[in-house]
mmCIF file of all heavy atoms in Angstrom:
data_model
loop_
_atom_site.group_PDB
_atom_site.id
_atom_site.type_symbol
_atom_site.label_atom_id
_atom_site.label_comp_id
_atom_site.label_asym_id
_atom_site.label_seq_id
_atom_site.Cartn_x
_atom_site.Cartn_y
_atom_site.Cartn_z
ATOM 1 N N VAL I 1250 19.753 70.886 16.727
ATOM 2 C CA VAL I 1250 19.228 70.368 17.986
ATOM 3 C C VAL I 1250 19.430 68.846 18.045
ATOM 4 O O VAL I 1250 19.876 68.297 19.061
ATOM 5 C CB VAL I 1250 17.734 70.733 18.180
ATOM 6 C CG1 VAL I 1250 17.111 69.958 19.322
ATOM 7 C CG2 VAL I 1250 17.581 72.232 18.379
ATOM 8 N N GLU I 1251 19.111 68.159 16.944
ATOM 9 C CA GLU I 1251 19.285 66.708 16.904
ATOM 10 C C GLU I 1251 20.757 66.318 17.055
ATOM 11 O O GLU I 1251 21.094 65.377 17.772
ATOM 12 C CB GLU I 1251 18.712 66.132 15.602
ATOM 13 C CG GLU I 1251 17.213 66.232 15.492
ATOM 14 C CD GLU I 1251 16.479 65.481 16.602
ATOM 15 O OE1 GLU I 1251 16.916 64.378 16.993
ATOM 16 O OE2 GLU I 1251 15.465 66.012 17.100
ATOM 17 N N MET I 1252 21.646 67.037 16.383
ATOM 18 C CA MET I 1252 23.080 66.754 16.473
ATOM 19 C C MET I 1252 23.580 66.983 17.892
ATOM 20 O O MET I 1252 24.362 66.191 18.427
ATOM 21 C CB MET I 1252 23.867 67.613 15.483
ATOM 22 C CG MET I 1252 23.689 67.225 14.041
ATOM 23 S SD MET I 1252 24.275 65.573 13.677
ATOM 24 C CE MET I 1252 25.998 65.723 14.070
ATOM 25 N N SER I 1253 23.150 68.057 18.506
ATOM 26 C CA SER I 1253 23.565 68.351 19.878
ATOM 27 C C SER I 1253 23.061 67.272 20.827
ATOM 28 O O SER I 1253 23.787 66.833 21.733
ATOM 29 C CB SER I 1253 23.035 69.720 20.296
ATOM 30 O OG SER I 1253 23.458 70.018 21.597
ATOM 31 N N THR I 1254 21.830 66.828 20.629
ATOM 32 C CA THR I 1254 21.277 65.748 21.458
ATOM 33 C C THR I 1254 22.107 64.482 21.300
ATOM 34 O O THR I 1254 22.477 63.835 22.288
ATOM 35 C CB THR I 1254 19.806 65.475 21.061
ATOM 36 O OG1 THR I 1254 19.054 66.677 21.188
ATOM 37 C CG2 THR I 1254 19.194 64.385 21.913
ATOM 38 N N LEU I 1255 22.413 64.137 20.064
ATOM 39 C CA LEU I 1255 23.201 62.943 19.785
ATOM 40 C C LEU I 1255 24.584 63.036 20.421
ATOM 41 O O LEU I 1255 25.054 62.078 21.040
ATOM 42 C CB LEU I 1255 23.318 62.730 18.274
ATOM 43 C CG LEU I 1255 24.139 61.542 17.816
ATOM 44 C CD1 LEU I 1255 23.512 60.232 18.294
ATOM 45 C CD2 LEU I 1255 24.273 61.546 16.306
ATOM 46 N N MET I 1256 25.230 64.171 20.303
ATOM 47 C CA MET I 1256 26.560 64.344 20.889
ATOM 48 C C MET I 1256 26.517 64.254 22.409
ATOM 49 O O MET I 1256 27.410 63.666 23.032
ATOM 50 C CB MET I 1256 27.174 65.664 20.442
ATOM 51 C CG MET I 1256 27.670 65.624 19.012
ATOM 52 S SD MET I 1256 28.695 67.029 18.631
ATOM 53 C CE MET I 1256 27.542 68.018 17.720
ATOM 54 N N ASN I 1257 25.499 64.816 23.020
ATOM 55 C CA ASN I 1257 25.381 64.734 24.476
ATOM 56 C C ASN I 1257 25.145 63.303 24.942
ATOM 57 O O ASN I 1257 25.700 62.864 25.949
ATOM 58 C CB ASN I 1257 24.265 65.651 24.978
ATOM 59 C CG ASN I 1257 24.735 67.081 25.130
ATOM 60 O OD1 ASN I 1257 25.404 67.396 26.099
ATOM 61 N ND2 ASN I 1257 24.424 67.918 24.157
ATOM 62 N N VAL I 1258 24.321 62.554 24.197
ATOM 63 C CA VAL I 1258 24.082 61.152 24.541
ATOM 64 C C VAL I 1258 25.373 60.350 24.403
ATOM 65 O O VAL I 1258 25.731 59.554 25.284
ATOM 66 C CB VAL I 1258 22.966 60.558 23.662
ATOM 67 C CG1 VAL I 1258 22.904 59.047 23.795
ATOM 68 C CG2 VAL I 1258 21.626 61.184 24.020
ATOM 69 N N LEU I 1259 26.094 60.549 23.303
ATOM 70 C CA LEU I 1259 27.350 59.835 23.091
ATOM 71 C C LEU I 1259 28.393 60.200 24.154
ATOM 72 O O LEU I 1259 29.099 59.324 24.669
ATOM 73 C CB LEU I 1259 27.902 60.110 21.698
ATOM 74 C CG LEU I 1259 27.162 59.434 20.550
ATOM 75 C CD1 LEU I 1259 27.707 59.901 19.215
ATOM 76 C CD2 LEU I 1259 27.252 57.921 20.667
ATOM 77 N N ALA I 1260 28.486 61.476 24.459
ATOM 78 C CA ALA I 1260 29.452 61.918 25.466
ATOM 79 C C ALA I 1260 29.105 61.326 26.840
ATOM 80 O O ALA I 1260 30.008 60.985 27.616
ATOM 81 C CB ALA I 1260 29.485 63.443 25.536
ATOM 82 N N GLY I 1261 27.822 61.178 27.119
ATOM 83 C CA GLY I 1261 27.406 60.589 28.391
ATOM 84 C C GLY I 1261 27.623 59.087 28.427
ATOM 85 O O GLY I 1261 27.940 58.515 29.462
ATOM 86 N N ALA I 1262 27.438 58.425 27.281
ATOM 87 C CA ALA I 1262 27.551 56.965 27.243
ATOM 88 C C ALA I 1262 29.009 56.506 27.197
ATOM 89 O O ALA I 1262 29.348 55.479 27.772
ATOM 90 C CB ALA I 1262 26.803 56.433 26.028
ATOM 91 N N PHE I 1263 29.869 57.231 26.498
ATOM 92 C CA PHE I 1263 31.284 56.853 26.368
ATOM 93 C C PHE I 1263 32.142 57.940 26.998
ATOM 94 O O PHE I 1263 31.918 59.117 26.773
ATOM 95 C CB PHE I 1263 31.667 56.717 24.882
ATOM 96 C CG PHE I 1263 30.855 55.708 24.153
ATOM 97 C CD1 PHE I 1263 29.795 56.112 23.336
ATOM 98 C CD2 PHE I 1263 31.123 54.362 24.276
ATOM 99 C CE1 PHE I 1263 29.027 55.187 22.656
ATOM 100 C CE2 PHE I 1263 30.360 53.429 23.591
ATOM 101 C CZ PHE I 1263 29.307 53.832 22.778
ATOM 102 N N GLN I 1264 33.107 57.513 27.738
ATOM 103 C CA GLN I 1264 34.017 58.494 28.310
ATOM 104 C C GLN I 1264 35.229 58.563 27.399
ATOM 105 O O GLN I 1264 36.155 57.755 27.528
ATOM 106 C CB GLN I 1264 34.379 58.115 29.732
ATOM 107 C CG GLN I 1264 33.177 58.179 30.628
ATOM 108 C CD GLN I 1264 33.533 58.001 32.090
ATOM 109 O OE1 GLN I 1264 34.697 57.802 32.436
ATOM 110 N NE2 GLN I 1264 32.543 58.086 32.942
ATOM 111 N N LEU I 1265 35.170 59.512 26.484
ATOM 112 C CA LEU I 1265 36.225 59.635 25.478
ATOM 113 C C LEU I 1265 37.261 60.651 25.903
ATOM 114 O O LEU I 1265 36.938 61.677 26.497
ATOM 115 C CB LEU I 1265 35.633 60.059 24.127
ATOM 116 C CG LEU I 1265 34.608 59.097 23.511
ATOM 117 C CD1 LEU I 1265 33.994 59.714 22.277
ATOM 118 C CD2 LEU I 1265 35.266 57.765 23.188
ATOM 119 N N ASP I 1266 38.481 60.367 25.526
ATOM 120 C CA ASP I 1266 39.585 61.288 25.768
ATOM 121 C C ASP I 1266 39.456 62.431 24.752
ATOM 122 O O ASP I 1266 39.142 62.206 23.577
ATOM 123 C CB ASP I 1266 40.907 60.532 25.578
ATOM 124 C CG ASP I 1266 42.123 61.387 25.875
ATOM 125 O OD1 ASP I 1266 41.953 62.557 26.280
ATOM 126 O OD2 ASP I 1266 43.234 60.873 25.701
ATOM 127 N N SER I 1267 39.694 63.655 25.190
ATOM 128 C CA SER I 1267 39.529 64.806 24.276
ATOM 129 C C SER I 1267 40.480 64.728 23.091
ATOM 130 O O SER I 1267 40.159 65.205 22.007
ATOM 131 C CB SER I 1267 39.709 66.127 25.021
ATOM 132 O OG SER I 1267 41.011 66.239 25.519
ATOM 133 N N SER I 1268 41.645 64.110 23.239
ATOM 134 C CA SER I 1268 42.575 63.986 22.104
ATOM 135 C C SER I 1268 42.009 63.045 21.042
ATOM 136 O O SER I 1268 42.164 63.280 19.848
ATOM 137 C CB SER I 1268 43.954 63.509 22.576
ATOM 138 O OG SER I 1268 43.860 62.209 23.126
ATOM 139 N N VAL I 1269 41.315 61.993 21.471
ATOM 140 C CA VAL I 1269 40.671 61.074 20.517
ATOM 141 C C VAL I 1269 39.571 61.816 19.767
ATOM 142 O O VAL I 1269 39.439 61.704 18.539
ATOM 143 C CB VAL I 1269 40.100 59.828 21.248
ATOM 144 C CG1 VAL I 1269 39.263 58.987 20.292
ATOM 145 C CG2 VAL I 1269 41.217 59.013 21.865
ATOM 146 N N VAL I 1270 38.775 62.578 20.498
ATOM 147 C CA VAL I 1270 37.688 63.346 19.867
ATOM 148 C C VAL I 1270 38.261 64.333 18.855
ATOM 149 O O VAL I 1270 37.737 64.476 17.743
ATOM 150 C CB VAL I 1270 36.841 64.074 20.938
ATOM 151 C CG1 VAL I 1270 35.829 65.009 20.284
ATOM 152 C CG2 VAL I 1270 36.138 63.065 21.824
ATOM 153 N N GLN I 1271 39.355 65.003 19.181
ATOM 154 C CA GLN I 1271 39.976 65.966 18.258
ATOM 155 C C GLN I 1271 40.491 65.275 17.001
ATOM 156 O O GLN I 1271 40.340 65.794 15.893
ATOM 157 C CB GLN I 1271 41.107 66.735 18.952
ATOM 158 C CG GLN I 1271 40.629 67.744 19.963
ATOM 159 C CD GLN I 1271 39.712 68.787 19.330
ATOM 160 O OE1 GLN I 1271 39.940 69.257 18.222
ATOM 161 N NE2 GLN I 1271 38.655 69.137 20.044
ATOM 162 N N ARG I 1272 41.127 64.080 17.162
ATOM 163 C CA ARG I 1272 41.611 63.335 15.990
ATOM 164 C C ARG I 1272 40.454 62.928 15.087
ATOM 165 O O ARG I 1272 40.521 63.055 13.872
ATOM 166 C CB ARG I 1272 42.410 62.098 16.438
ATOM 167 C CG ARG I 1272 43.837 62.378 16.787
ATOM 168 C CD ARG I 1272 44.718 61.127 16.798
ATOM 169 N NE ARG I 1272 44.060 59.874 17.121
ATOM 170 C CZ ARG I 1272 44.022 59.313 18.340
ATOM 171 N NH1 ARG I 1272 44.605 59.912 19.359
ATOM 172 N NH2 ARG I 1272 43.420 58.166 18.529
ATOM 173 N N VAL I 1273 39.384 62.422 15.691
ATOM 174 C CA VAL I 1273 38.215 62.011 14.913
ATOM 175 C C VAL I 1273 37.604 63.213 14.207
ATOM 176 O O VAL I 1273 37.251 63.147 13.033
ATOM 177 C CB VAL I 1273 37.170 61.296 15.812
ATOM 178 C CG1 VAL I 1273 35.856 61.109 15.069
ATOM 179 C CG2 VAL I 1273 37.713 59.972 16.307
ATOM 180 N N LYS I 1274 37.513 64.304 14.927
ATOM 181 C CA LYS I 1274 36.935 65.522 14.343
ATOM 182 C C LYS I 1274 37.765 65.999 13.156
ATOM 183 O O LYS I 1274 37.225 66.361 12.106
ATOM 184 C CB LYS I 1274 36.836 66.621 15.405
ATOM 185 C CG LYS I 1274 35.966 67.766 15.008
ATOM 186 C CD LYS I 1274 35.745 68.687 16.191
ATOM 187 C CE LYS I 1274 34.652 69.678 15.894
ATOM 188 N NZ LYS I 1274 34.312 70.487 17.042
ATOM 189 N N HIS I 1275 39.093 65.981 13.299
ATOM 190 C CA HIS I 1275 39.978 66.390 12.208
ATOM 191 C C HIS I 1275 39.788 65.475 10.996
ATOM 192 O O HIS I 1275 39.678 65.941 9.861
ATOM 193 C CB HIS I 1275 41.440 66.369 12.679
ATOM 194 C CG HIS I 1275 42.403 66.721 11.604
ATOM 195 N ND1 HIS I 1275 42.533 68.006 11.120
ATOM 196 C CD2 HIS I 1275 43.266 65.951 10.895
ATOM 197 C CE1 HIS I 1275 43.443 68.014 10.159
ATOM 198 N NE2 HIS I 1275 43.899 66.777 10.012
ATOM 199 N N ARG I 1276 39.728 64.158 11.257
ATOM 200 C CA ARG I 1276 39.538 63.209 10.156
ATOM 201 C C ARG I 1276 38.189 63.428 9.470
ATOM 202 O O ARG I 1276 38.083 63.403 8.258
ATOM 203 C CB ARG I 1276 39.616 61.773 10.684
ATOM 204 C CG ARG I 1276 39.455 60.768 9.546
ATOM 205 C CD ARG I 1276 39.176 59.363 10.060
ATOM 206 N NE ARG I 1276 38.917 58.480 8.969
ATOM 207 C CZ ARG I 1276 37.749 58.349 8.352
ATOM 208 N NH1 ARG I 1276 36.726 59.085 8.698
ATOM 209 N NH2 ARG I 1276 37.592 57.500 7.367
ATOM 210 N N VAL I 1277 37.143 63.656 10.250
ATOM 211 C CA VAL I 1277 35.800 63.852 9.700
ATOM 212 C C VAL I 1277 35.757 65.118 8.833
ATOM 213 O O VAL I 1277 35.158 65.126 7.751
ATOM 214 C CB VAL I 1277 34.747 63.896 10.831
ATOM 215 C CG1 VAL I 1277 33.417 64.395 10.328
ATOM 216 C CG2 VAL I 1277 34.612 62.532 11.465
ATOM 217 N N ILE I 1278 36.386 66.178 9.299
ATOM 218 C CA ILE I 1278 36.412 67.415 8.502
ATOM 219 C C ILE I 1278 37.072 67.163 7.163
ATOM 220 O O ILE I 1278 36.562 67.571 6.113
ATOM 221 C CB ILE I 1278 37.130 68.550 9.279
ATOM 222 C CG1 ILE I 1278 36.267 69.025 10.443
ATOM 223 C CG2 ILE I 1278 37.456 69.723 8.350
ATOM 224 C CD1 ILE I 1278 36.962 69.978 11.395
ATOM 225 N N GLN I 1279 38.203 66.461 7.161
ATOM 226 C CA GLN I 1279 38.900 66.151 5.906
ATOM 227 C C GLN I 1279 38.034 65.282 4.998
ATOM 228 O O GLN I 1279 37.943 65.497 3.787
ATOM 229 C CB GLN I 1279 40.237 65.444 6.187
ATOM 230 C CG GLN I 1279 41.254 66.306 6.869
ATOM 231 C CD GLN I 1279 41.640 67.528 6.024
ATOM 232 O OE1 GLN I 1279 41.134 67.781 4.952
ATOM 233 N NE2 GLN I 1279 42.551 68.310 6.550
ATOM 234 N N GLU I 1280 37.388 64.288 5.596
ATOM 235 C CA GLU I 1280 36.540 63.377 4.826
ATOM 236 C C GLU I 1280 35.370 64.117 4.174
ATOM 237 O O GLU I 1280 35.064 63.913 3.002
ATOM 238 C CB GLU I 1280 36.029 62.268 5.744
ATOM 239 C CG GLU I 1280 35.165 61.236 5.043
ATOM 240 C CD GLU I 1280 34.683 60.178 6.005
ATOM 241 O OE1 GLU I 1280 35.505 59.683 6.817
ATOM 242 O OE2 GLU I 1280 33.483 59.861 5.967
ATOM 243 N N VAL I 1281 34.738 64.990 4.944
ATOM 244 C CA VAL I 1281 33.588 65.734 4.406
ATOM 245 C C VAL I 1281 34.040 66.667 3.284
ATOM 246 O O VAL I 1281 33.359 66.817 2.275
ATOM 247 C CB VAL I 1281 32.858 66.494 5.538
ATOM 248 C CG1 VAL I 1281 31.838 67.465 4.973
ATOM 249 C CG2 VAL I 1281 32.186 65.513 6.481
ATOM 250 N N LYS I 1282 35.217 67.279 3.444
ATOM 251 C CA LYS I 1282 35.745 68.140 2.382
ATOM 252 C C LYS I 1282 36.010 67.337 1.113
ATOM 253 O O LYS I 1282 35.675 67.762 0.014
ATOM 254 C CB LYS I 1282 37.053 68.813 2.826
ATOM 255 C CG LYS I 1282 36.869 69.979 3.748
ATOM 256 C CD LYS I 1282 38.223 70.572 4.092
ATOM 257 C CE LYS I 1282 38.115 71.712 5.068
ATOM 258 N NZ LYS I 1282 39.452 72.232 5.430
ATOM 259 N N GLU I 1283 36.630 66.167 1.276
ATOM 260 C CA GLU I 1283 36.986 65.340 0.120
ATOM 261 C C GLU I 1283 35.754 64.784 -0.592
ATOM 262 O O GLU I 1283 35.733 64.669 -1.807
ATOM 263 C CB GLU I 1283 37.883 64.186 0.564
ATOM 264 C CG GLU I 1283 39.270 64.624 0.957
ATOM 265 C CD GLU I 1283 40.076 63.497 1.591
ATOM 266 O OE1 GLU I 1283 39.594 62.338 1.609
ATOM 267 O OE2 GLU I 1283 41.188 63.788 2.081
ATOM 268 N N THR I 1284 34.740 64.425 0.168
ATOM 269 C CA THR I 1284 33.544 63.804 -0.432
ATOM 270 C C THR I 1284 32.440 64.812 -0.707
ATOM 271 O O THR I 1284 31.359 64.424 -1.148
ATOM 272 C CB THR I 1284 32.994 62.705 0.495
ATOM 273 O OG1 THR I 1284 32.592 63.296 1.732
ATOM 274 C CG2 THR I 1284 34.019 61.612 0.718
ATOM 275 N N ASN I 1285 32.722 66.087 -0.426
ATOM 276 C CA ASN I 1285 31.739 67.156 -0.627
ATOM 277 C C ASN I 1285 30.443 66.872 0.135
ATOM 278 O O ASN I 1285 29.346 67.095 -0.358
ATOM 279 C CB ASN I 1285 31.470 67.357 -2.118
ATOM 280 C CG ASN I 1285 30.861 68.706 -2.406
ATOM 281 O OD1 ASN I 1285 30.986 69.636 -1.621
ATOM 282 N ND2 ASN I 1285 30.175 68.817 -3.529
ATOM 283 N N GLY I 1286 30.597 66.346 1.354
ATOM 284 C CA GLY I 1286 29.448 66.115 2.216
ATOM 285 C C GLY I 1286 28.792 64.756 2.048
ATOM 286 O O GLY I 1286 27.847 64.435 2.765
ATOM 287 N N ARG I 1287 29.265 63.962 1.114
ATOM 288 C CA ARG I 1287 28.677 62.633 0.904
ATOM 289 C C ARG I 1287 29.295 61.665 1.909
ATOM 290 O O ARG I 1287 30.494 61.403 1.883
ATOM 291 C CB ARG I 1287 28.945 62.169 -0.520
ATOM 292 C CG ARG I 1287 28.245 60.902 -0.852
ATOM 293 C CD ARG I 1287 28.327 60.621 -2.326
ATOM 294 N NE ARG I 1287 27.784 59.304 -2.568
ATOM 295 C CZ ARG I 1287 28.383 58.389 -3.311
ATOM 296 N NH1 ARG I 1287 29.513 58.670 -3.907
ATOM 297 N NH2 ARG I 1287 27.833 57.222 -3.478
ATOM 298 N N ILE I 1288 28.469 61.137 2.761
ATOM 299 C CA ILE I 1288 28.943 60.276 3.848
ATOM 300 C C ILE I 1288 28.612 58.829 3.498
ATOM 301 O O ILE I 1288 27.483 58.520 3.117
ATOM 302 C CB ILE I 1288 28.292 60.677 5.184
ATOM 303 C CG1 ILE I 1288 28.656 62.131 5.508
ATOM 304 C CG2 ILE I 1288 28.720 59.744 6.298
ATOM 305 C CD1 ILE I 1288 27.850 62.722 6.625
ATOM 306 N N ASP I 1289 29.615 57.948 3.633
ATOM 307 C CA ASP I 1289 29.442 56.541 3.319
ATOM 308 C C ASP I 1289 29.640 55.727 4.599
ATOM 309 O O ASP I 1289 30.751 55.644 5.128
ATOM 310 C CB ASP I 1289 30.453 56.123 2.246
ATOM 311 C CG ASP I 1289 30.246 54.699 1.766
ATOM 312 O OD1 ASP I 1289 29.354 54.007 2.295
ATOM 313 O OD2 ASP I 1289 30.985 54.278 0.852
ATOM 314 N N LEU I 1290 28.560 55.141 5.104
ATOM 315 C CA LEU I 1290 28.612 54.393 6.354
ATOM 316 C C LEU I 1290 29.576 53.220 6.264
ATOM 317 O O LEU I 1290 30.289 52.913 7.229
ATOM 318 C CB LEU I 1290 27.205 53.911 6.746
ATOM 319 C CG LEU I 1290 27.101 53.163 8.077
ATOM 320 C CD1 LEU I 1290 27.575 54.031 9.233
ATOM 321 C CD2 LEU I 1290 25.684 52.683 8.301
ATOM 322 N N GLU I 1291 29.639 52.551 5.127
ATOM 323 C CA GLU I 1291 30.554 51.414 4.971
ATOM 324 C C GLU I 1291 32.006 51.855 5.142
ATOM 325 O O GLU I 1291 32.803 51.153 5.783
ATOM 326 C CB GLU I 1291 30.348 50.747 3.618
ATOM 327 C CG GLU I 1291 29.020 50.009 3.513
ATOM 328 C CD GLU I 1291 28.788 49.408 2.138
ATOM 329 O OE1 GLU I 1291 29.729 49.381 1.321
ATOM 330 O OE2 GLU I 1291 27.655 48.966 1.896
ATOM 331 N N GLU I 1292 32.363 53.008 4.586
ATOM 332 C CA GLU I 1292 33.723 53.522 4.748
ATOM 333 C C GLU I 1292 34.011 53.866 6.208
ATOM 334 O O GLU I 1292 35.103 53.629 6.708
ATOM 335 C CB GLU I 1292 33.943 54.768 3.863
ATOM 336 C CG GLU I 1292 33.961 54.479 2.381
ATOM 337 C CD GLU I 1292 35.168 53.647 1.967
ATOM 338 O OE1 GLU I 1292 36.275 53.898 2.486
ATOM 339 O OE2 GLU I 1292 34.989 52.734 1.146
ATOM 340 N N ILE I 1293 33.030 54.415 6.890
ATOM 341 C CA ILE I 1293 33.199 54.758 8.304
ATOM 342 C C ILE I 1293 33.411 53.493 9.136
ATOM 343 O O ILE I 1293 34.285 53.442 10.001
ATOM 344 C CB ILE I 1293 31.986 55.567 8.820
ATOM 345 C CG1 ILE I 1293 31.939 56.939 8.135
ATOM 346 C CG2 ILE I 1293 32.016 55.714 10.333
ATOM 347 C CD1 ILE I 1293 30.678 57.719 8.389
ATOM 348 N N ILE I 1294 32.628 52.458 8.850
ATOM 349 C CA ILE I 1294 32.776 51.189 9.586
ATOM 350 C C ILE I 1294 34.157 50.596 9.345
ATOM 351 O O ILE I 1294 34.824 50.130 10.273
ATOM 352 C CB ILE I 1294 31.649 50.196 9.183
ATOM 353 C CG1 ILE I 1294 30.298 50.706 9.696
ATOM 354 C CG2 ILE I 1294 31.938 48.788 9.715
ATOM 355 C CD1 ILE I 1294 29.100 49.957 9.160
ATOM 356 N N LYS I 1295 34.619 50.612 8.078
ATOM 357 C CA LYS I 1295 35.960 50.095 7.764
ATOM 358 C C LYS I 1295 37.018 50.880 8.538
ATOM 359 O O LYS I 1295 37.953 50.291 9.080
ATOM 360 C CB LYS I 1295 36.231 50.188 6.265
ATOM 361 C CG LYS I 1295 35.468 49.179 5.448
ATOM 362 C CD LYS I 1295 35.764 49.369 3.963
ATOM 363 C CE LYS I 1295 34.888 48.479 3.108
ATOM 364 N NZ LYS I 1295 35.095 48.756 1.671
ATOM 365 N N PHE I 1296 36.882 52.203 8.582
ATOM 366 C CA PHE I 1296 37.859 53.026 9.300
ATOM 367 C C PHE I 1296 37.832 52.707 10.798
ATOM 368 O O PHE I 1296 38.883 52.540 11.427
ATOM 369 C CB PHE I 1296 37.582 54.517 9.069
ATOM 370 C CG PHE I 1296 38.472 55.406 9.876
ATOM 371 C CD1 PHE I 1296 39.781 55.650 9.451
ATOM 372 C CD2 PHE I 1296 38.037 55.985 11.060
ATOM 373 C CE1 PHE I 1296 40.624 56.470 10.190
ATOM 374 C CE2 PHE I 1296 38.867 56.796 11.800
ATOM 375 C CZ PHE I 1296 40.169 57.035 11.368
#
């Protein structure tokens, strides 16, 4: 529920192109697989 709320707020605040969202989603899936779910905010900011 929280994730869905956050995504709806972001989608409403930014008008993103669906191709950008798909690229980000693909990158995030790879990152989560590689880090086994460990998310590093500093790495995300650098990216």
Side-chain angles (χ1 to χ4, degrees):
V1250 168
E1251 292 300 321
M1252 288 297 298
S1253 181
T1254 303
L1255 179 63
M1256 284 193 258
N1257 278 282
V1258 168
L1259 287 174
F1263 301 101
Q1264 295 188 358
L1265 299 174
D1266 183 3
S1267 64
S1268 64
V1269 172
V1270 173
Q1271 288 301 320
R1272 277 198 331 264
V1273 169
K1274 194 171 192 174
H1275 178 72
R1276 181 194 175 278
V1277 168
I1278 289 171
Q1279 293 298 3
E1280 182 180 315
V1281 169
K1282 282 181 183 178
E1283 289 171 7
T1284 63
N1285 200 21
R1287 187 169 173 228
I1288 300 168
D1289 186 357
L1290 182 59
E1291 290 177 11
E1292 291 293 319
I1293 293 171
I1294 292 170
K1295 287 178 187 175
F1296 175 79

